[in-house]
Amino acid sequence: MECDGARDALLDEVLGGESLREATEAHLAECLSCRDEALEIARTADRIRRTLAPERARNPHLAIPRFKRRFPVSAALLAVAAGAAWLLWPRPAAPPPIAAPEGLLLRIEDGDIRLSRAAAPPPPSLGGIRFVPTQYRELRVETSGTLRCQGTVRCDTVAVSAPMVRIRGDRLVVRDVFAVSSGSAELQVREVYCRSLQGTVTAGNTATAGSGIRVPRGTTLRIAHPQTCVDLEIESGGRVVLDPGGELVVKGRFVNHGEIAWR
Amino acid sequence: MKSDEDLVREAQGGSRAAFEEIVRRCEAPLYSIAMARLRNAEAAQEAAQQAVVQAFFSIRSLRDPAKLRAWLGRLVQNVCTDEGRRSMRPDPPARETGSVPELDEDLLAPLDPLQRTLVTLRFVNDFSYEETADWLDLPVNKVKWELHRAFETLRERMRRKT
């Protein structure tokens, strides 16, 4: 075996080709430069292996759809099948709401995501998406792709394959809504945050928390979190000052005869 | 152990267990291919999952059961291509770094997508030339040639770094 052949064989062995170890070793025993080459190839392979070690350790655990096929489905009919499956899948006429810890309810139903308020205080913010507190707030989403639910807010997946929902930036992305399984999954929302402050900012009033916020003229009402939502009335002479980056998310009544300022 | 062909036939006949076994056998390379293409663990998991869902709904369209791996490989690559197009839109989805470490971009960056895929299948899944060729539906010689080139590129890069 010549040097070229030996080096090619060394590479093949590292890269998944046929092993010609015996022939290679015979050559290496006689050729110092190929021994160096072999060492360097081994070092490079080792470095690549170490780099990819986390991936080697990872097991993707892909979920298997639970939809029961009753007839052949071609790829071209995929979307139709998914739609039909939604219709065919047995589900309660009105799925009961599931209260989320933060008072949020996310329900995936017929390809839409519905966010609604659970028992106690209010939803309006979900990963940057704000909802006014109507009974149900529909968020229409694209229905191709994958959904993953993780985390803290319950997500009632009426019929979703591998229930996956993700939030990307300020968008809730829901994809691949196949009628496959029922059940619930968890949705992680980084900032579900809404302190509902209700009250009136009236000139000359004293501030009290709880039933309402009344602040004397010139008093600063700090919005503790950018996504705090407030239901208030600013009367003439009243003034609300927001911290930098703060935004006033008003749900329900909002009357402003006064002033809103940013610090 | 049943062959892939047997499992495909059973899955095409409606066996969920057979399909599950196919997924169990194929999920790691599916993920690896997606990871090599998308270079993001979360997106790769999604793409692989989507490929499985597509396979589930369309496995009866697979005419040659012996080509299962090539077929799955194509599915996941198509998903990745779509995902790539999506992420090139003006408002690309924010990539969140999950708990899964990303590939060492610095090391694999000079490789093209095919080479990254080959290197990943070799060094993550320990695939031979033949297995890689099956998955990517490529001639063995092409796999070998590209892998050699990729390896040399990486070696040269490491040399320069040290």
Side-chain angles (χ1 to χ4, degrees):
Chain A
M1 180 179 273
E2 300 296 320
C3 289
D4 282 351
R7 292 175 186 205
D8 206 40
L10 286 168
L11 272 180
D12 276 348
E13 189 172 336
V14 165
L15 297 177
E18 186 187 0
S19 172
L20 301 172
R21 184 172 290 270
E22 280 184 22
T24 316
E25 280 181 354
H27 176 81
L28 291 180
E30 299 166 356
C31 180
L32 183 61
S33 120
C34 283
R35 277 207 298 277
D36 289 345
E37 177 78 2
L39 271 177
E40 201 182 337
I41 287 175
R43 269 199 299 271
T44 306
D46 182 56
R47 167 83 193 277
I48 298 171
R49 271 203 191 86
R50 276 188 283 120
T51 298
L52 297 176
E55 294 307 308
R56 287 175 72 87
R58 175 147 164 77
N59 188 341
H61 284 311
L62 303 180
I64 295 161
R66 289 190 203 137
F67 177 72
K68 200 170 181 180
R69 270 184 282 109
R70 299 180 194 283
F71 45 84
V73 183
S74 73
L77 291 174
L78 195 58
V80 176
W86 272 109
L87 297 173
L88 293 173
W89 189 259
R91 53 182 181 261
I98 297 174
E102 286 83 3
L104 265 180
L105 170 68
L106 182 74
R107 180 185 293 158
I108 299 173
E109 197 174 8
D110 297 335
D112 295 332
I113 285 196
R114 291 163 188 235
L115 190 82
S116 67
R117 183 158 40 167
S125 156
L126 176 62
I129 304 169
R130 287 184 298 277
F131 299 87
V132 290
T134 50
Q135 182 69 28
Y136 284 103
R137 177 72 177 178
E138 268 188 26
L139 173 63
R140 293 203 174 271
V141 291
E142 53 180 307
T143 52
S144 67
T146 316
L147 305 180
R148 174 181 300 156
C149 290
Q150 359 167 296
T152 53
V153 175
R154 279 195 72 168
C155 152
D156 183 16
T157 56
V158 174
V160 172
S161 62
M164 287 193 263
V165 172
R166 74 191 292 195
I167 292 175
R168 289 172 161 170
D170 62 349
R171 288 192 308 148
L172 186 59
V173 179
V174 181
R175 294 187 275 157
D176 268 0
V177 184
F178 291 115
V180 175
S181 69
S182 62
S184 65
E186 301 291 308
L187 169 70
Q188 185 169 32
V189 181
R190 255 186 268 149
E191 289 180 328
V192 177
Y193 214 98
C194 179
R195 286 182 191 152
S196 180
L197 307 177
Q198 292 188 345
T200 306
V201 180
T202 312
N205 281 349
T206 311
T208 49
S211 59
I213 296 174
R214 292 176 295 165
V215 293
R217 181 175 187 144
T219 298
T220 296
L221 172 61
R222 286 195 182 192
I223 306 301
H225 187 278
Q227 289 166 350
T228 298
C229 38
V230 180
D231 180 354
L232 57 73
E233 179 172 354
I234 304 173
E235 294 190 348
S236 178
R239 184 164 183 262
V240 174
V241 179
L242 298 174
D243 285 338
E247 60 181 306
L248 196 57
V249 181
V250 178
K251 66 188 188 76
R253 193 169 61 103
F254 175 59
V255 183
N256 180 15
H257 300 297
E259 181 188 0
I260 298 175
W262 278 262
R263 205 182 279 285
Chain B
M1 193 171 75
K2 286 181 180 169
S3 66
D4 283 359
E5 288 92 323
D6 289 342
L7 289 173
V8 169
R9 285 190 196 95
E10 288 177 23
Q12 288 176 328
S15 165
R16 181 181 170 79
F19 189 81
E20 283 176 356
E21 177 61 18
I22 289 171
V23 171
R24 198 189 58 73
R25 287 184 191 180
C26 297
E27 61 190 1
L30 277 174
Y31 171 78
S32 288
I33 292 170
M35 186 65 185
R37 298 292 291 266
L38 299 173
R39 299 154 89 181
N40 174 280
E42 195 179 344
Q45 172 89 21
E46 249 187 46
Q49 179 66 68
Q50 195 172 343
V52 164
V53 173
Q54 288 186 11
F56 180 81
F57 280 100
S58 58
I59 194 160
R60 291 185 193 202
S61 71
L62 173 58
R63 289 184 191 154
D64 181 359
K67 287 280 187 185
L68 170 70
R69 288 163 195 243
W71 181 68
L72 288 174
R74 248 193 327 276
L75 281 183
V76 74
Q77 288 183 83
N78 288 343
V79 171
C80 292
T81 304
D82 290 347
E83 175 63 22
R85 282 200 203 104
R86 248 198 299 274
S87 62
M88 287 172 70
R89 286 175 186 170
D91 179 22
R95 286 265 175 264
E96 294 166 11
T97 305
S99 57
V100 183
E102 308 296 304
L103 289 186
D104 181 348
E105 293 293 333
D106 192 42
L107 181 71
L108 299 186
L111 304 183
D112 64 34
L114 173 61
Q115 290 178 339
R116 270 203 312 273
T117 308
L118 296 171
V119 168
T120 306
L121 287 175
R122 172 59 195 158
F123 289 96
V124 173
N125 303 90
D126 294 320
F127 277 5
S128 66
Y129 289 155
E130 284 76 15
E131 288 171 301
T132 304
D134 279 352
W135 268 93
L136 301 180
D137 206 14
L138 292 172
V140 172
N141 277 343
K142 167 85 171 168
V143 170
K144 175 179 171 173
W145 167 248
E146 291 291 346
L147 255 177
H148 279 225
R149 279 183 58 215
F151 192 84
E152 289 303 337
T153 303
L154 295 177
R155 182 150 68 138
E156 183 53 37
R157 190 175 173 86
M158 286 177 206
R159 264 196 210 124
R160 269 190 271 123
K161 275 193 159 183
T162 52

Short mmCIF file of all heavy atoms in Angstrom, two decimals, chain B residues 85-110:
data_model
loop_
_atom_site.label_atom_id
_atom_site.label_comp_id
_atom_site.label_asym_id
_atom_site.label_seq_id
_atom_site.Cartn_x
_atom_site.Cartn_y
_atom_site.Cartn_z
N ARG B 85 -37.25 28.66 4.56
CA ARG B 85 -37.92 29.73 3.83
C ARG B 85 -38.69 30.62 4.79
O ARG B 85 -38.65 31.83 4.70
CB ARG B 85 -38.91 29.14 2.82
CG ARG B 85 -38.23 28.63 1.58
CD ARG B 85 -39.23 28.53 0.44
NE ARG B 85 -38.73 27.56 -0.52
CZ ARG B 85 -39.19 26.34 -0.66
NH1 ARG B 85 -40.19 25.92 0.08
NH2 ARG B 85 -38.69 25.53 -1.55
N ARG B 86 -39.37 29.96 5.72
CA ARG B 86 -40.16 30.73 6.68
C ARG B 86 -39.26 31.68 7.46
O ARG B 86 -39.59 32.83 7.68
CB ARG B 86 -40.85 29.79 7.67
CG ARG B 86 -42.36 29.76 7.52
CD ARG B 86 -42.99 29.19 8.75
NE ARG B 86 -42.58 27.84 8.99
CZ ARG B 86 -43.15 26.77 8.46
NH1 ARG B 86 -44.15 26.91 7.64
NH2 ARG B 86 -42.71 25.56 8.74
N SER B 87 -38.12 31.16 7.87
CA SER B 87 -37.26 31.98 8.73
C SER B 87 -36.58 33.08 7.94
O SER B 87 -35.94 33.94 8.50
CB SER B 87 -36.23 31.12 9.44
OG SER B 87 -35.41 30.50 8.49
N MET B 88 -36.72 33.06 6.60
CA MET B 88 -36.15 34.16 5.81
C MET B 88 -37.14 35.27 5.58
O MET B 88 -36.84 36.26 4.94
CB MET B 88 -35.67 33.63 4.46
CG MET B 88 -34.41 32.80 4.57
SD MET B 88 -33.99 31.99 3.04
CE MET B 88 -33.51 33.38 2.05
N ARG B 89 -38.34 35.09 6.13
CA ARG B 89 -39.31 36.17 5.99
C ARG B 89 -38.85 37.39 6.78
O ARG B 89 -38.02 37.27 7.67
CB ARG B 89 -40.68 35.70 6.51
CG ARG B 89 -41.32 34.74 5.52
CD ARG B 89 -42.60 34.22 6.12
NE ARG B 89 -43.16 33.20 5.25
CZ ARG B 89 -44.17 32.43 5.60
NH1 ARG B 89 -44.73 32.56 6.78
NH2 ARG B 89 -44.63 31.53 4.78
N PRO B 90 -39.43 38.54 6.46
CA PRO B 90 -38.98 39.76 7.12
C PRO B 90 -39.07 39.71 8.64
O PRO B 90 -38.29 40.28 9.34
CB PRO B 90 -39.93 40.83 6.56
CG PRO B 90 -40.53 40.24 5.35
CD PRO B 90 -40.45 38.76 5.46
N ASP B 91 -40.08 38.99 9.13
CA ASP B 91 -40.25 38.93 10.57
C ASP B 91 -39.98 37.51 11.04
O ASP B 91 -40.90 36.75 11.32
CB ASP B 91 -41.67 39.35 10.93
CG ASP B 91 -41.92 39.28 12.42
OD1 ASP B 91 -40.95 39.32 13.19
OD2 ASP B 91 -43.09 39.16 12.80
N PRO B 92 -38.73 37.11 11.06
CA PRO B 92 -38.44 35.71 11.37
C PRO B 92 -38.77 35.39 12.82
O PRO B 92 -38.64 36.25 13.68
CB PRO B 92 -36.94 35.61 11.13
CG PRO B 92 -36.43 36.97 11.32
CD PRO B 92 -37.54 37.92 10.96
N PRO B 93 -39.21 34.16 13.03
CA PRO B 93 -39.50 33.77 14.40
C PRO B 93 -38.25 33.80 15.24
O PRO B 93 -37.18 33.41 14.78
CB PRO B 93 -40.01 32.33 14.27
CG PRO B 93 -39.59 31.89 12.91
CD PRO B 93 -39.41 33.11 12.08
N ALA B 94 -38.41 34.26 16.46
CA ALA B 94 -37.24 34.31 17.33
C ALA B 94 -36.85 32.90 17.72
O ALA B 94 -37.68 32.08 18.08
CB ALA B 94 -37.60 35.09 18.59
N ARG B 95 -35.61 32.60 17.59
CA ARG B 95 -35.11 31.29 17.98
C ARG B 95 -34.78 31.32 19.46
O ARG B 95 -34.01 32.14 19.92
CB ARG B 95 -33.85 30.98 17.18
CG ARG B 95 -34.15 30.64 15.78
CD ARG B 95 -34.22 29.12 15.69
NE ARG B 95 -34.62 28.72 14.38
CZ ARG B 95 -35.88 28.44 14.05
NH1 ARG B 95 -36.82 28.53 14.94
NH2 ARG B 95 -36.17 28.05 12.85
N GLU B 96 -35.40 30.43 20.13
CA GLU B 96 -35.12 30.39 21.55
C GLU B 96 -34.12 29.29 21.82
O GLU B 96 -34.23 28.21 21.27
CB GLU B 96 -36.40 30.13 22.32
CG GLU B 96 -37.38 31.28 22.19
CD GLU B 96 -38.75 30.88 22.66
OE1 GLU B 96 -38.88 29.81 23.26
OE2 GLU B 96 -39.67 31.64 22.41
N THR B 97 -33.19 29.58 22.63
CA THR B 97 -32.23 28.55 22.99
C THR B 97 -32.82 27.71 24.10
O THR B 97 -33.05 28.18 25.19
CB THR B 97 -30.92 29.19 23.46
OG1 THR B 97 -30.49 30.07 22.43
CG2 THR B 97 -29.87 28.14 23.69
N GLY B 98 -33.07 26.48 23.79
CA GLY B 98 -33.66 25.60 24.79
C GLY B 98 -32.58 25.02 25.67
O GLY B 98 -31.45 25.48 25.71
N SER B 99 -32.92 23.96 26.36
CA SER B 99 -31.95 23.35 27.25
C SER B 99 -30.95 22.52 26.46
O SER B 99 -29.94 22.08 26.97
CB SER B 99 -32.68 22.46 28.25
OG SER B 99 -33.43 21.51 27.53
N VAL B 100 -31.28 22.29 25.19
CA VAL B 100 -30.41 21.46 24.39
C VAL B 100 -29.30 22.32 23.77
O VAL B 100 -29.58 23.34 23.17
CB VAL B 100 -31.21 20.81 23.25
CG1 VAL B 100 -30.32 19.89 22.46
CG2 VAL B 100 -32.38 20.08 23.83
N PRO B 101 -28.07 21.92 23.95
CA PRO B 101 -27.00 22.74 23.42
C PRO B 101 -27.04 22.80 21.88
O PRO B 101 -27.44 21.84 21.25
CB PRO B 101 -25.74 22.00 23.88
CG PRO B 101 -26.18 21.01 24.87
CD PRO B 101 -27.61 20.72 24.61
N GLU B 102 -26.62 23.88 21.34
CA GLU B 102 -26.56 24.02 19.91
C GLU B 102 -25.28 23.38 19.39
O GLU B 102 -24.36 23.11 20.13
CB GLU B 102 -26.56 25.52 19.55
CG GLU B 102 -27.68 26.29 20.19
CD GLU B 102 -29.04 25.85 19.73
OE1 GLU B 102 -29.27 25.87 18.52
OE2 GLU B 102 -29.85 25.45 20.57
N LEU B 103 -25.25 23.16 18.09
CA LEU B 103 -24.01 22.67 17.51
C LEU B 103 -22.94 23.74 17.64
O LEU B 103 -23.24 24.91 17.72
CB LEU B 103 -24.21 22.36 16.02
CG LEU B 103 -25.06 21.16 15.67
CD1 LEU B 103 -25.01 20.96 14.16
CD2 LEU B 103 -24.58 19.91 16.35
N ASP B 104 -21.72 23.30 17.66
CA ASP B 104 -20.61 24.24 17.72
C ASP B 104 -20.50 24.93 16.37
O ASP B 104 -19.89 24.44 15.44
CB ASP B 104 -19.33 23.47 18.03
CG ASP B 104 -18.14 24.39 18.14
OD1 ASP B 104 -18.27 25.56 17.75
OD2 ASP B 104 -17.09 23.93 18.60
N GLU B 105 -21.16 26.08 16.29
CA GLU B 105 -21.23 26.80 15.03
C GLU B 105 -19.83 27.09 14.51
O GLU B 105 -19.55 27.04 13.33
CB GLU B 105 -21.98 28.11 15.21
CG GLU B 105 -23.44 27.93 15.52
CD GLU B 105 -24.20 27.34 14.34
OE1 GLU B 105 -23.76 27.54 13.20
OE2 GLU B 105 -25.19 26.65 14.57
N ASP B 106 -18.96 27.40 15.43
CA ASP B 106 -17.63 27.78 15.03
C ASP B 106 -16.94 26.65 14.29
O ASP B 106 -16.23 26.86 13.32
CB ASP B 106 -16.84 28.16 16.29
CG ASP B 106 -15.54 28.83 15.93
OD1 ASP B 106 -15.54 29.66 15.01
OD2 ASP B 106 -14.54 28.49 16.55
N LEU B 107 -17.18 25.45 14.73
CA LEU B 107 -16.51 24.32 14.09
C LEU B 107 -17.16 23.96 12.75
O LEU B 107 -16.47 23.76 11.75
CB LEU B 107 -16.54 23.10 15.02
CG LEU B 107 -15.84 21.88 14.44
CD1 LEU B 107 -14.34 22.10 14.41
CD2 LEU B 107 -16.17 20.64 15.24
N LEU B 108 -18.47 23.86 12.72
CA LEU B 108 -19.13 23.36 11.52
C LEU B 108 -19.52 24.46 10.54
O LEU B 108 -20.00 24.17 9.45
CB LEU B 108 -20.38 22.57 11.91
CG LEU B 108 -20.16 21.34 12.79
CD1 LEU B 108 -21.45 20.57 12.97
CD2 LEU B 108 -19.11 20.41 12.20
N ALA B 109 -19.31 25.69 10.93
CA ALA B 109 -19.75 26.81 10.09
C ALA B 109 -19.26 26.75 8.64
O ALA B 109 -20.01 27.09 7.73
CB ALA B 109 -19.36 28.13 10.73
N PRO B 110 -18.02 26.34 8.40
CA PRO B 110 -17.57 26.40 7.00
C PRO B 110 -18.19 25.33 6.11
O PRO B 110 -17.99 25.37 4.89
CB PRO B 110 -16.05 26.18 7.12
CG PRO B 110 -15.84 25.54 8.43
CD PRO B 110 -16.95 25.98 9.32
#
